[in-house]
Amino acid sequence: MAKQKKQYSTRKASQFNRWRAMFQFLVCKIGYMVRLKLVYRIEVHGLENVPKDNKYIICPNHLSTLDPPLICAVMPRCIAFMAKKELFDIPFLRWWIDWLGAFSVNRESLGPSTVKTVQTIQNSDWVLGMFPQGTRGVPGEIRGVTKGFAGLAKLTKCNILPVGIIGSNEVKKLPFSGKIIVNIGEIIPYDKNPEVVKEKWIESIQQLTGFKYIKDEQSQNEKVEKGAM
């Protein structure tokens, strides 16, 4: 009989346990934080905007692979990040991000298992983290923003916590050679209209980072085509 493949898209409450919490603490709040302070001279502003409960989704802009552990390092709660399902096809990386609390998601379609996992997170001491851009962007620009995060906020009745990251894209190795700034914005309430939340997130991230929002080419082409009709 073939061995059943482990599912990484659905999380049980028992999986958000003290062992994963301890692993994330050791890796991010100690291991990564040493690097962030020693090499990148990290600055964090706006921690007073973080809610006391966990009925919110942490939504940062995305510049590099350093962003998830960076956010885990500076936030008061353990964070379960959504990760594209392709990452779970890589053996060691699968084990690593699994133990850090991440779960897989199909970026093309957020299925019922995703909603169930988010609800499970709400019933734990953890909080959900996801990147509205979906993939890494470039400094100075905010591109590729979808409204999937806003739709999920609506379904789960979670508010959005915008977080602006500056400087994580610059790979540095020498002590005090880099500079990362993390600006935490004010909570954005979920709305029945996901487009409203998306626009508010974009506006907030522009203010927190100084980056400029640029619509993707597909959206621009659609707008041009509609105008030509």
Side-chain angles (χ1 to χ4, degrees), residues 123-208:
N123 293 325
S124 73
D125 290 328
W126 291 52
V127 66
L128 173 66
M130 62 185 299
F131 296 100
Q133 289 173 270
T135 188
R136 296 188 295 273
V138 298
E141 298 179 354
I142 303 169
R143 292 178 179 266
V145 182
T146 67
K147 57 184 178 182
F149 76 103
L152 188 60
K154 172 187 173 184
L155 289 173
T156 58
K157 296 183 178 180
C158 283
N159 298 322
I160 299 296
L161 182 67
V163 180
I165 303 174
I166 306 168
S168 65
N169 57 290
E170 297 182 4
V171 180
K172 302 291 184 180
K173 296 182 179 179
L174 297 177
F176 311 112
S177 60
K179 186 65 179 178
I180 290 178
I181 299 175
V182 178
N183 292 319
I184 303 170
E186 296 181 357
I187 276 287
I188 301 172
Y190 70 87
D191 194 280
K192 292 182 179 179
N193 184 356
E195 194 65 37
V196 171
V197 175
K198 174 186 171 183
E199 293 300 323
K200 288 183 177 180
W201 181 85
I202 291 171
E203 181 181 354
S204 179
I205 293 299
Q206 287 186 108
Q207 293 175 352
L208 294 170

Coordinates of all heavy atoms in Angstrom, one line a residue, residues 123-208:
N123 N -7.9 30.3 16.7 CA -8.3 29.6 18.0 C -7.0 29.2 18.8 O -7.1 28.4 19.8 CB -9.1 28.3 17.7 CG -10.5 28.7 17.2 OD1 -11.1 29.7 17.6 ND2 -11.0 27.9 16.3
S124 N -5.9 29.6 18.3 CA -4.6 29.3 19.0 C -4.0 30.6 19.5 O -4.6 31.7 19.4 CB -3.6 28.7 18.0 OG -3.1 29.6 17.0
D125 N -2.7 30.6 19.9 CA -2.0 31.8 20.3 C -1.2 32.4 19.2 O -0.5 33.4 19.4 CB -1.1 31.5 21.5 CG -1.9 31.2 22.8 OD1 -3.0 31.7 22.9 OD2 -1.4 30.4 23.6
W126 N -1.3 31.8 18.0 CA -0.6 32.3 16.8 C -1.4 33.3 16.1 O -2.6 33.5 16.3 CB -0.2 31.1 15.9 CG 0.8 30.2 16.5 CD1 0.7 29.5 17.7 CD2 2.0 29.7 15.9 NE1 1.8 28.7 17.9 CE2 2.6 28.8 16.8 CE3 2.6 29.9 14.6 CZ2 3.8 28.1 16.5 CZ3 3.8 29.3 14.3 CH2 4.4 28.4 15.2
V127 N -0.8 33.9 15.1 CA -1.4 34.8 14.2 C -1.0 34.5 12.7 O 0.1 34.0 12.5 CB -1.1 36.3 14.5 CG1 0.3 36.6 14.3 CG2 -2.0 37.3 13.8
L128 N -1.9 34.8 11.8 CA -1.6 34.5 10.4 C -0.8 35.6 9.7 O -1.0 36.8 10.0 CB -3.0 34.4 9.6 CG -2.9 34.2 8.1 CD1 -2.2 32.9 7.7 CD2 -4.2 34.3 7.5
G129 N 0.1 35.2 8.9 CA 0.9 36.2 8.1 C 0.8 35.8 6.6 O 0.9 34.6 6.3
M130 N 0.7 36.8 5.8 CA 0.7 36.6 4.3 C 1.1 37.9 3.6 O 0.9 39.0 4.1 CB -0.7 36.1 3.8 CG -1.8 37.1 4.0 SD -3.5 36.4 3.6 CE -3.2 36.0 1.8
F131 N 1.6 37.6 2.4 CA 2.1 38.8 1.6 C 1.1 39.0 0.5 O 1.0 38.2 -0.4 CB 3.5 38.4 1.0 CG 4.6 38.3 2.0 CD1 5.0 37.0 2.4 CD2 5.2 39.4 2.6 CE1 6.0 36.8 3.3 CE2 6.2 39.2 3.6 CZ 6.6 37.9 3.9
P132 N 0.4 40.2 0.5 CA -0.6 40.5 -0.5 C 0.0 40.6 -1.9 O -0.7 40.4 -2.9 CB -1.1 41.9 -0.1 CG -0.9 41.9 1.4 CD 0.4 41.1 1.6
Q133 N 1.3 40.8 -2.0 CA 2.0 40.9 -3.3 C 2.2 39.5 -3.9 O 2.4 39.4 -5.1 CB 3.3 41.6 -3.3 CG 3.2 43.1 -3.0 CD 4.5 43.8 -2.8 OE1 5.0 43.9 -1.6 NE2 5.2 44.2 -3.8
G134 N 2.2 38.5 -3.1 CA 2.3 37.1 -3.6 C 3.7 36.7 -3.9 O 4.2 35.6 -3.5
T135 N 4.5 37.6 -4.5 CA 5.9 37.3 -4.8 C 6.7 38.5 -4.5 O 6.2 39.6 -4.2 CB 6.0 36.9 -6.3 OG1 7.4 36.5 -6.5 CG2 5.7 38.1 -7.2
R136 N 8.0 38.3 -4.5 CA 8.9 39.4 -4.1 C 8.9 40.6 -5.1 O 8.9 40.3 -6.3 CB 10.4 38.9 -4.0 CG 10.5 37.9 -2.8 CD 12.0 37.6 -2.6 NE 12.6 36.9 -3.7 CZ 12.6 35.6 -3.9 NH1 11.9 34.8 -3.1 NH2 13.2 35.0 -4.9
G137 N 8.9 41.8 -4.6 CA 8.9 43.0 -5.5 C 10.3 43.6 -5.5 O 11.3 43.0 -5.0
V138 N 10.4 44.8 -6.0 CA 11.6 45.5 -6.1 C 11.5 46.8 -5.2 O 10.4 47.3 -5.0 CB 12.0 45.9 -7.5 CG1 12.2 44.7 -8.4 CG2 10.9 46.8 -8.1
P139 N 12.6 47.3 -4.6 CA 12.6 48.5 -3.8 C 12.1 49.7 -4.5 O 12.3 49.9 -5.7 CB 14.1 48.7 -3.5 CG 14.7 47.4 -3.7 CD 14.0 46.7 -4.8
G140 N 11.2 50.4 -3.8 CA 10.7 51.6 -4.4 C 9.4 51.4 -5.1 O 8.7 52.4 -5.5
E141 N 9.0 50.2 -5.3 CA 7.7 49.9 -6.0 C 6.9 48.9 -5.3 O 7.4 48.0 -4.6 CB 8.0 49.3 -7.4 CG 8.8 50.3 -8.4 CD 9.1 49.6 -9.7 OE1 8.8 48.4 -9.9 OE2 9.6 50.4 -10.6
I142 N 5.6 49.0 -5.5 CA 4.6 48.0 -4.9 C 3.8 47.5 -6.1 O 3.1 48.2 -6.7 CB 3.7 48.6 -3.9 CG1 4.5 49.3 -2.8 CG2 2.7 47.6 -3.4 CD1 3.7 50.1 -1.8
R143 N 4.0 46.3 -6.5 CA 3.4 45.7 -7.7 C 2.7 44.4 -7.3 O 3.0 43.8 -6.3 CB 4.4 45.4 -8.8 CG 5.0 46.6 -9.4 CD 6.0 46.2 -10.5 NE 6.7 47.3 -11.2 CZ 6.3 47.8 -12.3 NH1 5.2 47.2 -12.9 NH2 6.9 48.7 -12.9
G144 N 1.9 43.9 -8.2 CA 1.3 42.5 -8.1 C 0.4 42.3 -6.9 O 0.3 41.2 -6.4
V145 N -0.3 43.3 -6.5 CA -1.1 43.2 -5.3 C -2.5 42.6 -5.7 O -3.1 43.1 -6.6 CB -1.4 44.5 -4.6 CG1 -2.3 44.3 -3.4 CG2 -0.1 45.2 -4.2
T146 N -2.8 41.5 -5.1 CA -4.1 40.8 -5.4 C -5.1 41.1 -4.2 O -4.6 41.6 -3.1 CB -4.0 39.3 -5.6 OG1 -3.6 38.7 -4.4 CG2 -3.0 39.0 -6.7
K147 N -6.3 40.8 -4.4 CA -7.3 41.1 -3.2 C -7.6 39.8 -2.5 O -8.5 39.7 -1.7 CB -8.5 41.8 -3.7 CG -9.3 41.0 -4.8 CD -10.5 41.9 -5.3 CE -11.2 41.1 -6.4 NZ -12.4 42.0 -6.9
G148 N -6.8 38.7 -2.7 CA -7.0 37.5 -2.0 C -7.0 37.6 -0.5 O -7.8 37.0 0.2
F149 N -6.0 38.4 0.0 CA -5.8 38.6 1.4 C -7.1 39.3 2.0 O -7.5 39.0 3.1 CB -4.6 39.4 1.7 CG -4.6 40.9 1.4 CD1 -4.8 41.8 2.4 CD2 -4.6 41.3 0.1 CE1 -4.9 43.1 2.1 CE2 -4.6 42.7 -0.2 CZ -4.8 43.6 0.8
A150 N -7.6 40.2 1.2 CA -8.8 41.0 1.7 C -10.0 40.1 1.7 O -10.9 40.2 2.6 CB -9.0 42.2 0.8
G151 N -10.1 39.2 0.7 CA -11.2 38.3 0.6 C -11.2 37.3 1.8 O -12.2 36.9 2.4
L152 N -10.0 36.8 2.1 CA -9.8 35.9 3.3 C -10.1 36.7 4.6 O -10.7 36.1 5.5 CB -8.3 35.4 3.3 CG -8.0 34.3 4.3 CD1 -8.9 33.1 4.0 CD2 -6.6 34.0 4.3
A153 N -9.8 37.9 4.7 CA -10.1 38.7 5.9 C -11.6 38.8 6.0 O -12.1 38.7 7.2 CB -9.5 40.1 5.7
K154 N -12.3 39.0 4.9 CA -13.8 39.0 5.0 C -14.4 37.7 5.4 O -15.3 37.7 6.3 CB -14.3 39.4 3.6 CG -15.8 39.3 3.4 CD -16.2 39.5 2.0 CE -17.7 39.2 1.8 NZ -18.1 39.3 0.3
L155 N -13.9 36.6 4.9 CA -14.4 35.3 5.2 C -14.2 34.9 6.7 O -15.0 34.2 7.3 CB -13.8 34.2 4.3 CG -14.2 34.2 2.8 CD1 -13.4 33.2 2.0 CD2 -15.7 33.8 2.7
T156 N -13.0 35.3 7.2 CA -12.7 34.9 8.6 C -12.9 36.0 9.6 O -12.6 35.9 10.8 CB -11.2 34.5 8.6 OG1 -10.4 35.6 8.2 CG2 -10.9 33.3 7.7
K157 N -13.4 37.2 9.1 CA -13.6 38.4 9.9 C -12.3 38.8 10.7 O -12.4 39.1 11.9 CB -14.8 38.1 10.9 CG -16.1 37.9 10.2 CD -17.2 37.7 11.1 CE -18.6 37.5 10.4 NZ -19.7 37.3 11.3
C158 N -11.2 38.8 10.0 CA -10.0 39.2 10.5 C -9.6 40.6 10.0 O -9.9 40.9 8.8 CB -8.8 38.3 10.1 SG -8.8 36.8 11.0
N159 N -9.1 41.5 10.8 CA -8.6 42.8 10.3 C -7.2 42.6 9.7 O -6.6 41.5 9.8 CB -8.6 43.8 11.5 CG -9.9 44.0 12.1 OD1 -10.9 44.1 11.4 ND2 -10.0 44.1 13.4
I160 N -6.7 43.7 9.1 CA -5.4 43.6 8.4 C -4.4 44.5 9.2 O -4.8 45.7 9.5 CB -5.6 44.1 7.0 CG1 -6.5 43.1 6.2 CG2 -4.2 44.1 6.3 CD1 -6.0 41.7 6.1
L161 N -3.3 44.0 9.5 CA -2.2 44.8 10.0 C -1.1 45.1 9.0 O -0.4 44.2 8.6 CB -1.6 44.1 11.2 CG -0.5 44.9 12.0 CD1 -1.1 46.2 12.6 CD2 0.2 44.0 13.0
P162 N -1.1 46.3 8.4 CA -0.1 46.5 7.4 C 1.3 46.8 8.0 O 1.4 47.4 9.0 CB -0.6 47.8 6.7 CG -1.3 48.5 7.8 CD -1.9 47.4 8.7
V163 N 2.3 46.2 7.3 CA 3.7 46.3 7.8 C 4.6 46.7 6.6 O 4.6 46.0 5.6 CB 4.2 45.0 8.5 CG1 5.6 45.2 8.9 CG2 3.3 44.6 9.6
G164 N 5.3 47.8 6.8 CA 6.2 48.2 5.7 C 7.6 47.8 6.0 O 8.1 48.1 7.1
I165 N 8.3 47.1 5.0 CA 9.6 46.7 5.2 C 10.5 47.5 4.2 O 10.2 47.5 3.0 CB 9.8 45.2 4.9 CG1 8.9 44.4 5.9 CG2 11.2 44.8 5.1 CD1 8.9 42.9 5.6
I166 N 11.6 48.0 4.7 CA 12.6 48.8 3.8 C 14.0 48.2 4.1 O 14.4 48.1 5.2 CB 12.6 50.3 4.2 CG1 11.1 50.8 4.1 CG2 13.5 51.0 3.3 CD1 11.0 52.2 4.7
G167 N 14.7 47.8 3.0 CA 16.1 47.5 3.1 C 16.4 46.0 3.2 O 17.5 45.6 3.2
S168 N 15.4 45.1 3.3 CA 15.6 43.7 3.4 C 16.2 43.0 2.2 O 16.6 41.9 2.2 CB 14.4 42.9 3.9 OG 13.4 43.0 2.9
N169 N 16.1 43.7 1.0 CA 16.5 43.2 -0.2 C 18.0 43.2 -0.4 O 18.6 42.6 -1.2 CB 15.9 43.9 -1.4 CG 16.2 45.4 -1.3 OD1 15.7 46.1 -0.4 ND2 17.0 46.0 -2.2
E170 N 18.7 44.1 0.4 CA 20.1 44.3 0.3 C 20.9 43.2 1.1 O 20.8 43.2 2.3 CB 20.5 45.7 0.8 CG 19.9 46.8 -0.1 CD 20.4 48.2 0.4 OE1 21.2 48.2 1.3 OE2 19.9 49.1 -0.1
V171 N 21.6 42.3 0.4 CA 22.3 41.2 1.1 C 23.6 41.8 1.6 O 24.5 42.3 0.9 CB 22.6 40.1 0.1 CG1 23.4 39.0 0.8 CG2 21.3 39.5 -0.5
K172 N 23.7 41.7 2.9 CA 24.9 42.2 3.6 C 25.5 41.2 4.5 O 24.8 40.3 5.1 CB 24.6 43.5 4.4 CG 24.0 44.6 3.6 CD 25.0 45.3 2.7 CE 24.4 46.5 2.0 NZ 25.4 47.1 1.1
K173 N 26.8 41.2 4.7 CA 27.5 40.2 5.6 C 28.3 40.8 6.6 O 28.5 40.3 7.7 CB 28.3 39.2 4.7 CG 27.5 38.4 3.8 CD 28.4 37.4 3.0 CE 27.5 36.6 2.0 NZ 28.4 35.6 1.2
L174 N 28.9 42.0 6.3 CA 29.8 42.7 7.3 C 28.9 43.3 8.4 O 27.8 43.8 8.1 CB 30.6 43.7 6.6 CG 31.6 43.2 5.5 CD1 32.3 44.3 4.9 CD2 32.6 42.2 6.2
P175 N 29.4 43.4 9.6 CA 28.7 44.0 10.7 C 28.4 45.5 10.4 O 29.2 46.2 9.9 CB 29.7 43.9 11.9 CG 30.5 42.7 11.6 CD 30.7 42.7 10.1
F176 N 27.1 45.8 10.7 CA 26.6 47.2 10.6 C 26.7 47.8 9.2 O 26.8 49.0 9.0 CB 27.4 48.1 11.6 CG 27.5 47.6 13.0 CD1 28.7 47.2 13.5 CD2 26.3 47.5 13.7 CE1 28.7 46.7 14.8 CE2 26.4 47.0 15.0 CZ 27.6 46.6 15.6
S177 N 26.7 46.9 8.2 CA 26.8 47.3 6.8 C 25.4 47.5 6.1 O 25.4 48.1 5.1 CB 27.6 46.3 6.0 OG 27.0 45.0 6.0
G178 N 24.4 47.0 6.8 CA 23.1 47.1 6.2 C 22.1 48.0 7.0 O 22.5 48.5 8.1
K179 N 20.9 48.2 6.6 CA 19.9 49.0 7.3 C 18.5 48.5 6.9 O 18.1 48.6 5.8 CB 20.1 50.5 7.0 CG 19.2 51.3 7.9 CD 19.6 51.2 9.3 CE 18.7 52.1 10.3 NZ 19.1 51.9 11.7
I180 N 17.8 48.0 7.9 CA 16.4 47.5 7.7 C 15.5 48.3 8.6 O 15.8 48.4 9.8 CB 16.3 46.0 7.9 CG1 17.0 45.2 6.8 CG2 14.8 45.6 8.0 CD1 16.9 43.7 7.0
I181 N 14.5 48.8 8.1 CA 13.5 49.5 8.9 C 12.1 48.8 8.7 O 11.7 48.6 7.6 CB 13.3 51.0 8.4 CG1 14.7 51.7 8.6 CG2 12.2 51.7 9.2 CD1 14.7 53.2 8.1
V182 N 11.5 48.6 9.8 CA 10.1 48.0 9.8 C 9.2 48.9 10.4 O 9.3 49.3 11.6 CB 10.1 46.6 10.6 CG1 8.7 46.0 10.6 CG2 11.1 45.6 10.0
N183 N 8.2 49.4 9.6 CA 7.2 50.3 10.1 C 5.8 49.6 10.2 O 5.3 49.1 9.1 CB 7.1 51.5 9.2 CG 8.3 52.4 9.2 OD1 8.8 52.6 10.3 ND2 8.8 52.9 8.1
I184 N 5.2 49.5 11.3 CA 3.9 48.9 11.5 C 2.8 49.9 11.5 O 2.9 50.8 12.3 CB 3.9 48.1 12.9 CG1 5.1 47.1 12.9 CG2 2.6 47.3 13.1 CD1 5.3 46.4 14.2
G185 N 1.9 49.7 10.7 CA 0.8 50.7 10.5 C -0.4 50.4 11.4 O -0.4 49.5 12.2
E186 N -1.4 51.2 11.3 CA -2.6 51.1 12.0 C -3.5 50.0 11.4 O -3.5 49.8 10.2 CB -3.4 52.4 12.1 CG -2.6 53.5 12.9 CD -3.4 54.8 12.9 OE1 -4.5 54.8 12.4 OE2 -2.9 55.7 13.6
I187 N -4.3 49.3 12.2 CA -5.2 48.3 11.8 C -6.2 48.7 10.7 O -6.7 49.8 10.8 CB -6.0 47.7 13.0 CG1 -5.1 46.7 13.7 CG2 -7.3 47.1 12.5 CD1 -4.9 45.3 13.0
I188 N -6.4 47.9 9.7 CA -7.4 48.1 8.6 C -8.5 47.2 8.9 O -8.3 45.9 8.8 CB -6.8 47.9 7.2 CG1 -5.6 48.8 7.0 CG2 -7.8 48.1 6.2 CD1 -4.8 48.5 5.7
P189 N -9.7 47.6 9.2 CA -10.8 46.7 9.5 C -11.2 45.9 8.2 O -11.1 46.5 7.1 CB -11.9 47.7 9.9 CG -11.3 48.9 10.3 CD -10.1 49.0 9.4
Y190 N -11.6 44.7 8.4 CA -12.1 43.9 7.2 C -13.4 44.6 6.7 O -14.1 45.3 7.4 CB -12.3 42.5 7.6 CG -13.5 42.2 8.5 CD1 -14.8 42.0 8.0 CD2 -13.3 42.1 9.9 CE1 -15.8 41.7 8.9 CE2 -14.3 41.8 10.7 CZ -15.6 41.6 10.2 OH -16.7 41.4 11.1
D191 N -13.7 44.4 5.5 CA -14.8 45.0 4.8 C -15.5 44.0 3.9 O -14.9 43.0 3.4 CB -14.4 46.2 4.0 CG -15.5 47.1 3.6 OD1 -16.2 46.8 2.6 OD2 -15.7 48.1 4.2
K192 N -16.8 44.2 3.7 CA -17.6 43.3 2.8 C -17.1 43.4 1.4 O -17.3 42.4 0.6 CB -19.1 43.6 2.9 CG -19.7 43.3 4.2 CD -21.2 43.7 4.2 CE -21.9 43.3 5.5 NZ -23.3 43.6 5.5
N193 N -16.5 44.5 1.1 CA -15.9 44.7 -0.2 C -14.4 44.6 -0.2 O -13.7 45.5 0.3 CB -16.3 46.1 -0.8 CG -15.8 46.3 -2.2 OD1 -15.1 45.5 -2.8 ND2 -16.2 47.4 -2.8
P194 N -13.8 43.4 -0.6 CA -12.4 43.2 -0.5 C -11.5 44.3 -1.3 O -10.4 44.6 -0.9 CB -12.2 41.9 -1.2 CG -13.5 41.2 -1.0 CD -14.5 42.2 -1.2
E195 N -12.1 44.9 -2.3 CA -11.4 45.9 -3.1 C -11.1 47.1 -2.2 O -10.1 47.8 -2.3 CB -12.3 46.4 -4.3 CG -11.5 47.2 -5.3 CD -10.4 46.4 -6.0 OE1 -10.6 45.2 -6.2 OE2 -9.3 47.0 -6.3
V196 N -12.0 47.4 -1.2 CA -11.8 48.6 -0.3 C -10.6 48.3 0.6 O -9.8 49.2 0.8 CB -13.1 48.8 0.5 CG1 -12.8 49.8 1.7 CG2 -14.2 49.3 -0.3
V197 N -10.5 47.1 1.1 CA -9.4 46.7 2.0 C -8.1 46.7 1.2 O -7.0 47.2 1.7 CB -9.6 45.3 2.6 CG1 -8.4 44.9 3.4 CG2 -10.9 45.4 3.5
K198 N -8.1 46.2 0.0 CA -6.9 46.2 -0.9 C -6.4 47.6 -1.1 O -5.2 47.9 -1.0 CB -7.2 45.6 -2.2 CG -6.1 45.7 -3.2 CD -6.5 45.1 -4.6 CE -5.5 45.4 -5.7 NZ -5.9 45.0 -7.0
E199 N -7.3 48.6 -1.4 CA -6.9 50.0 -1.7 C -6.3 50.6 -0.4 O -5.3 51.4 -0.4 CB -8.1 50.8 -2.2 CG -8.6 50.4 -3.6 CD -7.5 50.5 -4.6 OE1 -6.7 51.5 -4.5 OE2 -7.4 49.7 -5.5
K200 N -6.9 50.3 0.8 CA -6.4 50.9 2.0 C -5.1 50.3 2.4 O -4.2 51.0 2.9 CB -7.4 50.6 3.1 CG -8.7 51.4 3.1 CD -9.6 51.1 4.2 CE -10.9 52.0 4.2 NZ -11.8 51.7 5.3
W201 N -4.8 49.0 2.1 CA -3.5 48.4 2.3 C -2.5 49.1 1.5 O -1.4 49.4 1.9 CB -3.6 46.9 2.1 CG -2.3 46.2 2.4 CD1 -1.8 45.8 3.6 CD2 -1.2 46.0 1.4 NE1 -0.5 45.3 3.5 CE2 -0.1 45.3 2.1 CE3 -1.1 46.1 0.0 CZ2 1.0 44.9 1.5 CZ3 0.1 45.7 -0.6 CH2 1.1 45.1 0.2
I202 N -2.8 49.3 0.2 CA -1.8 49.9 -0.7 C -1.5 51.3 -0.3 O -0.3 51.7 -0.2 CB -2.4 49.9 -2.2 CG1 -2.5 48.5 -2.8 CG2 -1.6 50.8 -3.1 CD1 -3.2 48.4 -4.1
E203 N -2.5 52.0 0.1 CA -2.3 53.4 0.6 C -1.4 53.4 1.9 O -0.5 54.2 2.0 CB -3.6 54.1 0.9 CG -3.5 55.5 1.4 CD -4.9 56.1 1.8 OE1 -5.9 55.5 1.5 OE2 -4.9 57.2 2.3
S204 N -1.7 52.5 2.8 CA -0.9 52.4 4.0 C 0.5 52.0 3.8 O 1.5 52.6 4.3 CB -1.6 51.4 5.0 OG -0.8 51.3 6.2
I205 N 0.8 51.0 2.9 CA 2.1 50.6 2.6 C 2.9 51.7 1.9 O 4.1 51.8 2.2 CB 2.1 49.3 1.8 CG1 1.5 48.1 2.6 CG2 3.5 48.9 1.3 CD1 2.3 47.8 3.8
Q206 N 2.3 52.4 1.1 CA 3.0 53.6 0.4 C 3.5 54.5 1.5 O 4.6 55.1 1.4 CB 2.0 54.2 -0.6 CG 1.8 53.4 -1.8 CD 1.0 54.2 -2.9 OE1 1.5 54.7 -3.9 NE2 -0.3 54.4 -2.6
Q207 N 2.6 54.8 2.5 CA 3.0 55.7 3.5 C 4.1 55.2 4.4 O 5.0 55.9 4.9 CB 1.8 56.1 4.4 CG 0.7 56.9 3.6 CD -0.5 57.1 4.4 OE1 -0.7 56.5 5.5 NE2 -1.5 57.9 3.9
L208 N 4.0 53.8 4.7 CA 5.0 53.2 5.6 C 6.4 53.0 5.0 O 7.4 52.9 5.7 CB 4.4 51.8 6.1 CG 3.2 51.9 6.9 CD1 2.6 50.5 7.1 CD2 3.5 52.5 8.3

